Amino acid sequence: MSKLSLRELAALSLIGALLVVSKQLMAFLPNIEPVTMLLMCTTLVYGLKALYPCCIFVLLQGLLYGLGMWFISYLYIWPMLVLAVYLLRRNTSWIIWTVVGAMYGLCFGALCAIPYFFIGGWQMAFAYWIAGIPYDLLHLVGNALMCGIFLKPLTGLLRKLAAGKYPPAT
């Protein structure tokens, strides 16, 4: 990663705060959140620098909710999304990006079960994952809708903002 400019530092910090606020605003819906879609947009525009707002999000979530077992999962799950999108960044199909977001939502519970494997064995991890499948299905649908509707326009807007081309000069 190259050095951050002041403009990038400000933008990425604001995106980190936006991730937290947007998740909090939608907290009344189980496993429906814009964080996946926003991190995907940020990664498509800023590349691996999207790890900065990702880390801001994870740390602020830990401060808001306490450092339970879920926090261990967040330490790798969200950066994994950034890395996956970064590796696939040359893809130009918004349908594929919608599928990536949806599949991430579906796999979220299985990824969260990994720490339980180490504390209780495969039975505990498997039980944790199976119990959460209804929420993973909601996560899949929510991510598919958010990515399908908002990913393309928000990525375009973020590209313009990152390039300093928005708002247009009057």
Side-chain angles (χ1 to χ4, degrees):
M1 278 188 292
S2 63
K3 190 175 178 183
L4 287 177
S5 68
L6 186 57
R7 179 186 199 89
E8 288 174 322
L9 179 63
L12 293 171
S13 298
L14 287 171
I15 292 168
L18 177 65
L19 294 172
V20 174
V21 170
S22 65
K23 184 171 186 278
Q24 294 309 114
L25 288 174
M26 297 188 72
F28 66 95
L29 297 170
N31 277 24
I32 310 288
E33 43 74 17
V35 176
T36 302
M37 182 268 308
L38 291 170
L39 271 178
M40 289 173 71
C41 289
T42 306
T43 305
L44 290 171
V45 174
Y46 288 100
L48 289 178
K49 291 177 182 176
L51 288 168
Y52 290 112
C54 178
C55 290
I56 291 169
F57 169 73
V58 170
L59 293 174
L60 289 177
Q61 288 292 288
L63 291 174
L64 285 170
Y65 292 107
L67 304 177
M69 280 297 293
W70 66 272
F71 185 74
I72 295 169
S73 301
Y74 268 41
L75 290 172
Y76 62 86
I77 288 176
W78 294 108
M80 276 177 55
L81 174 64
V82 171
L83 294 173
V85 172
Y86 180 76
L87 292 172
L88 298 169
R89 70 189 179 280
R90 303 227 189 284
N91 172 54
T92 58
S93 169
W94 295 102
I95 293 171
I96 298 294
W97 286 120
T98 299
V99 170
V100 168
M103 290 298 99
Y104 179 77
L106 183 62
C107 295
F108 197 86
L111 293 169
C112 284
I114 293 171
Y116 292 96
F117 172 79
F118 293 104
I119 63 168
W122 72 268
Q123 298 94 336
M124 185 178 194
F126 186 72
Y128 178 88
W129 173 58
I130 293 298
I133 285 179
Y135 293 99
D136 293 337
L137 293 172
L138 288 171
H139 207 169
L140 176 145
V141 171
N143 282 359
L145 289 172
M146 294 244 186
C147 289
I149 296 168
F150 299 114
L151 187 69
K152 184 177 181 178
L154 286 179
T155 301
L157 177 62
L158 192 55
R159 280 193 176 113
K160 288 179 183 177
L161 289 169
K165 296 180 181 176
Y166 194 85
T170 54

